[in-house]
Structure formats: structure tokens, C-alpha cells
Amino acid sequence: MNKKAKRRLIVVGGIVVIAMLVVVAIAGAGGSATSLTVGDVLTGQYESKKVQVSGSVVADSLTSDGSTAVFEITPEDGDGTDVLQVAYDGALPATFGTGVVAICTGTVEDGALACTEMVTKCPSKYESAEGSLTVKGLLDQAESLAGDEVSVCGYVAGAVNAVDAEYRFMLESQGETIAVTWDGGMDEAVVDGTAVVVKGVLGADGVFAASEQPAIDEAVTQG
């Protein structure tokens, strides 16, 4: 092998080594997140690290900063003293709400979590519609039932909205419709056309404020 060929081989070899180092560096930067507890993150040892943390969404903690949803999570089995702030730059899923377990992946920044991916877990709830009012029945007795907690059954009419929307969904039965508000999580199986039972109070504005997670009507589902 002459000197010119040997020099060319060395140059090519050097380029290959550099390319491999770049690939390894990129792979390392985009590596999997470390699974931690809320308490782990609060120690301050994981600043600028990519982590995954799960916890229950704290009641009344949801606010917005432009298009970013800001909320707090606390350990599912904790006493509520450990609280981590999460900033999620994405659209909140319909299942998100107070008490829902949010699995958040992102980077720790100044003691908070800048979240880029989120998955929620909301337990399913089934209930019988027996003894419940229809929407029409509720509206017909609106004055006498003012301020009373009642159960209403019907079908979800249209999309199920995120918790930061004006209302979560429209409930329809016997030709009448009401808007339902609820600040907790929603079963992902509750979609347009699902038969549900909702407990709550009808407000003077005609909006029904749910007091419990809307439940799937077990009779219709099993039937």
C-alpha cells in the first residue's frame, strides 16, 4: 500500500470514528427517562435530567400560562405534603382532571417538571341508571330541585372536552340537552353516544355541575 492510499484510509477511518461518536452522543441525549417519585425530584438531585414521574393531580392546581397547562401532582399514597409543579406544553386529554394519576415525562427545570409527554389513568366507573332522572325530567322540575343533588341519565352528545373547557360534555335524553361540568378525570371509554349516569346539582344557569365522576350506565353497556 503506497503512502497516498494509506493517508486516504486514515482520513476515512477518522471520519467514521467521528460519525460514530456523534451518533452515540445523539442517542445518549434522547435516551429513556429515569423513573422517579415526586419526592426524588424534590431533592434537587435531578436538575436538567430527563425523568418520568407519576402522581395524583392536586385539586384546584390547574392554571395556564399561554398555551402551557400548569398543575401540581402529589404521590398517590402520600399525605399531600410533597407536591411537584408540572408545566405541560400540550393539549390536555379529556381524561385529565383532579385526582387523576398523571404519568409525566420531561426535564427538571428549577425544581419543576417541564413535561413533553403525559399519560393519564382514570379508573372506570359503572353505575345503574335506576332511580335517575332523564334530562327532560330534570329540566321540568328545575325549580323544585334547585340546589338538590340528583342523578341524571342520558347519552353523551358530541365530544368530551378537556377539564379547562367551558363544559366537559353535553348530556341528552328525551329530546332535551344540558351542559355538564366536572373538574375530575373521565373514563376514556366515555365518548360521543355513551350512556352515562351523572350525580350533581343543576345550577341557576342551567348547567349541571357533576359532584362525582360520570359513570357508564352498566345496564346499557352490559345489554
Side-chain angles (χ1 to χ4, degrees):
M1 182 184 294
N2 57 39
K3 290 184 178 180
K4 188 173 183 180
K6 186 181 293 185
R7 190 180 302 113
R8 186 182 299 113
L9 182 61
I10 293 173
V11 171
V12 171
I15 292 173
V16 171
V17 171
I18 293 173
M20 289 178 65
L21 291 174
V22 171
V23 170
V24 170
I26 293 174
S32 60
T34 303
S35 294
L36 301 174
T37 65
V38 170
D40 290 334
V41 178
L42 295 179
T43 63
Q45 299 177 25
Y46 296 91
E47 190 69 22
S48 301
K49 302 293 185 182
K50 185 177 181 181
V51 302
Q52 183 179 83
V53 190
S54 65
S56 298
V57 177
V58 177
D60 301 321
S61 66
L62 178 64
T63 58
S64 61
D65 182 7
S67 62
T68 301
V70 181
F71 57 94
E72 297 174 340
I73 58 174
T74 190
E76 297 174 62
D77 55 355
D79 58 7
T81 56
D82 286 344
V83 175
L84 174 66
Q85 185 180 83
V86 178
Y88 178 56
D89 190 15
L92 291 174
T95 51
F96 181 91
T98 297
V100 166
V101 176
I103 304 172
C104 306
T105 302
T107 305
V108 181
E109 298 179 359
D110 298 325
L113 182 65
C115 178
T116 55
E117 300 175 38
M118 180 173 63
V119 177
T120 57
K121 295 192 302 180
C122 185
S124 298
K125 183 178 179 183
Y126 293 83
E127 191 167 316
S128 172
E130 184 177 351
S132 299
L133 295 166
T134 63
V135 174
K136 184 177 187 306
L138 173 65
L139 296 178
D140 286 346
Q141 305 174 64
E143 291 187 13
S144 62
L145 294 175
D148 293 340
E149 184 175 69
V150 296
S151 290
V152 184
C153 61
Y155 293 86
V156 175
V160 176
N161 300 317
V163 68
D164 54 351
E166 184 178 355
Y167 60 87
R168 295 306 288 276
F169 60 90
M170 300 298 293
L171 184 67
E172 187 275 332
S173 55
Q174 287 192 320
E176 296 287 352
T177 305
I178 55 171
V180 177
T181 59
W182 167 240
D183 64 358
M186 294 283 294
D187 188 329
E188 62 183 6
V190 176
V191 295
D192 181 25
T194 303
V196 294
V197 181
V198 189
K199 289 184 179 179
V201 177
L202 180 65
D205 56 358
V207 175
F208 191 80
S211 56
E212 296 182 8
Q213 178 188 334
I216 298 173
D217 187 336
E218 59 185 3
V220 175
T221 302
Q222 294 173 359

